[in-house]
Amino acid sequence: MMMLGPDGVGKTTLLATMYHQLSQTDNDSPFTLMATADTHQDLQAAYEKLSTIMTQPTFIPTGPLLKGTAGIIERQFQLLFNRKPELDLIFCDIAGGILRAEETNQDVIDFHNRLSQATVIINVIDGSALVEGDSNLANSKNEPQLIYELLSSRLQADKQPHLLLFVITKCEAWLRNAESQQQLEHAFEIQYEAMIELLAEMTHTVAVLIPVKTLGCVEFTHIGYQNQVKEMIFVRKPNLPFQPDNTDQPLRYALAFALQQHNQNRSKWNKLMRWLWNEDTAFHHALVQFAEERQKILKFMAMRL
Ligand SMILES: Nc1nc2c(ncn2[C@@H]2O[C@H](COP(=O)(O)OP(=O)(O)OP(=O)(O)O)[C@@H](O)[C@H]2O)c(=O)[nH]1
Ligand SMILES: [Mg+2]
């Protein structure tokens, strides 16, 4: 699993809130997502830091959520089915600066290697820049052209199935009603037109657009200047709680996709054993149930191509 997006779009915040939200909501599913000790500690620390920031009356952007997230950080998870290890998963959280670094940089070489191995690619997009930024600002925050170039060579190069998630953060202000949400989708369609056209030709890639609330209580207000550079300015809504919403959705998509791939790739022996123990039906049933949870919460645009 590869997290993609320039610095500051909210990749690490998304990872921390997705992990937290899924672990809070899924007690009755036979699937459990376990983080390794380091991943758990780091993401928990990130979540606690966010909680603390959200107790402040004004919202001050924190800079990178986790210090020292330079290069590529592997976040390791294990998915259990009925408490037995089923699948190991690695989420690669990159420092967004890698996208603009020199091709000869070792981190960039590593990044390309890992991208070529990723089955699920999560492009995190700053929704406030997407809707309100002029073209320079929107491009510099989200770099849709860079992402397009990376993915077009990547997705055309191999025929393996891929899941591509466009996750929009910092978009609380547009998730208030259907009309403003449409505005968000429309901005995406315009700025990612080339990408959408590319996806229309890809028979092995499924793409989904998912707006999320990683904070829930911070909204975009206007574009201001910080050190003479245009910046998106947000305000802490005093009447709203810190409450990530919909952040479990990208994780559900990613996990359901990975599980389905994994299920199709089992060896014959493994399939026979599972059949003997009647695990196959139970697994399939649980997977369908888990996957169905994807669509209950919020309307989003799914591009099944
Ligand atoms: N308003 C708002 N701010 C957010 C949101 N998510 C993250 N931020 C802020 O954006 C900044 C960057 O967040 P990170 O999660 O560290 O971004 P990143 O994409 O991991 O950045 P790099 O690791 O530098 O590539 C922090 O100041 C966060 O507080 C969001 O949903 N809304
Ligand atoms: Mg980060």
Side-chain angles (χ1 to χ4, degrees):
M1 319 264 167
M2 172 61 84
M3 314 282 294
L4 267 189
D7 44 302
V9 288
K11 298 178 294 297
T12 307
T13 307
L14 175 70
L15 200 54
T17 51
M18 309 205 274
Y19 171 59
H20 189 262
Q21 201 184 353
L22 193 75
S23 55
Q24 296 289 301
T25 49
D26 248 18
N27 294 334
D28 53 350
S29 168
F31 291 111
T32 325
L33 186 70
M34 294 263 297
T36 59
D38 284 358
T39 295
H40 177 79
Q41 249 172 24
D42 281 0
L43 294 184
Q44 196 69 16
Y47 192 85
E48 274 159 26
K49 185 173 167 195
L50 271 178
S51 312
T52 316
I53 297 166
M54 293 306 132
T55 59
Q56 312 294 320
T58 48
F59 175 67
I60 302 155
T62 50
L65 185 62
L66 284 175
K67 289 273 176 275
T69 47
I72 304 166
I73 306 279
E74 281 191 356
R75 302 290 179 206
Q76 300 191 353
F77 298 91
Q78 196 170 52
L79 199 64
L80 311 182
F81 179 60
N82 288 333
R83 299 200 187 87
K84 277 188 279 178
E86 184 68 41
L87 187 61
D88 289 324
L89 297 158
I90 297 174
F91 276 77
C92 288
D93 185 13
I94 61 164
I98 287 183
L99 293 183
R100 298 188 187 108
E102 295 282 331
E103 292 282 319
T104 49
N105 179 308
Q106 190 52 46
D107 282 341
V108 177
I109 297 168
D110 268 6
F111 162 68
H112 283 286
N113 262 335
R114 279 155 202 261
L115 183 62
S116 72
Q117 291 164 27
T119 351
V120 178
I121 298 166
I122 304 177
N123 178 202
V124 181
I125 298 172
D126 176 330
S128 65
L130 183 76
V131 182
E132 293 290 336
D134 55 37
S135 62
N136 276 345
L137 191 55
N139 286 339
S140 71
K141 291 281 178 198
N142 292 320
E143 298 280 11
Q145 181 63 27
L146 256 178
I147 304 284
Y148 170 82
E149 282 160 19
L150 266 176
L151 293 185
S152 65
S153 54
R154 180 69 224 104
L155 297 176
Q156 276 164 343
D158 97 39
K159 296 269 176 285
Q160 293 301 311
H162 284 96
L163 174 67
L164 180 51
L165 301 176
F166 296 100
V167 178
I168 306 189
T169 56
K170 311 192 188 186
C171 60
E172 278 82 347
W174 295 276
L175 297 181
R176 285 199 221 118
N177 58 53
E179 202 182 320
S180 55
Q181 193 172 329
Q182 240 174 15
Q183 211 186 335
L184 190 66
E185 289 171 6
H186 186 60
F188 174 80
E189 280 168 11
I190 291 177
Q191 289 169 49
Y192 288 76
E193 194 183 358
M195 181 78 80
I196 294 171
E197 277 171 17
L198 172 75
L199 288 166
E201 290 164 18
M202 301 280 119
T203 46
H204 293 80
T205 303
V206 178
V208 188
L209 179 68
I210 312 174
V212 297
K213 293 182 184 177
T214 50
L215 305 179
C217 54
V218 174
E219 284 188 9
F220 167 80
T221 54
H222 64 282
I223 295 174
Y225 282 87
Q226 267 175 8
N227 304 325
Q228 293 167 335
V229 178
K230 272 189 187 169
E231 252 323 320
M232 319 308 292
I233 309 292
F234 296 86
V235 66
R236 168 79 172 86
K237 292 280 182 183
N239 51 339
L240 295 176
F242 165 47
Q243 197 166 54
D245 191 15
N246 221 33
T247 49
D248 64 319
Q249 292 291 305
L251 196 51
R252 267 178 206 286
Y253 268 95
L255 298 182
F257 188 81
L259 277 169
Q260 198 205 14
Q261 296 296 311
H262 162 72
N263 208 23
Q264 281 169 359
N265 293 340
R266 286 185 206 283
S267 68
K268 281 196 176 129
W269 171 248
N270 186 291
K271 278 183 184 153
L272 176 67
M273 290 303 291
R274 296 173 65 77
W275 182 73
L276 288 175
W277 293 104
N278 200 23
E279 278 182 343
D280 215 27
T281 323
F283 184 87
H284 184 74
H285 182 73
L287 179 54
V288 168
Q289 207 172 21
F290 181 82
E292 277 177 355
E293 285 294 319
R294 286 176 306 184
Q295 305 197 358
K296 282 187 185 159
I297 303 172
L298 212 135
K299 175 192 166 282
F300 47 79
M301 184 176 83
M303 299 174 290
R304 202 177 169 95
L305 300 166

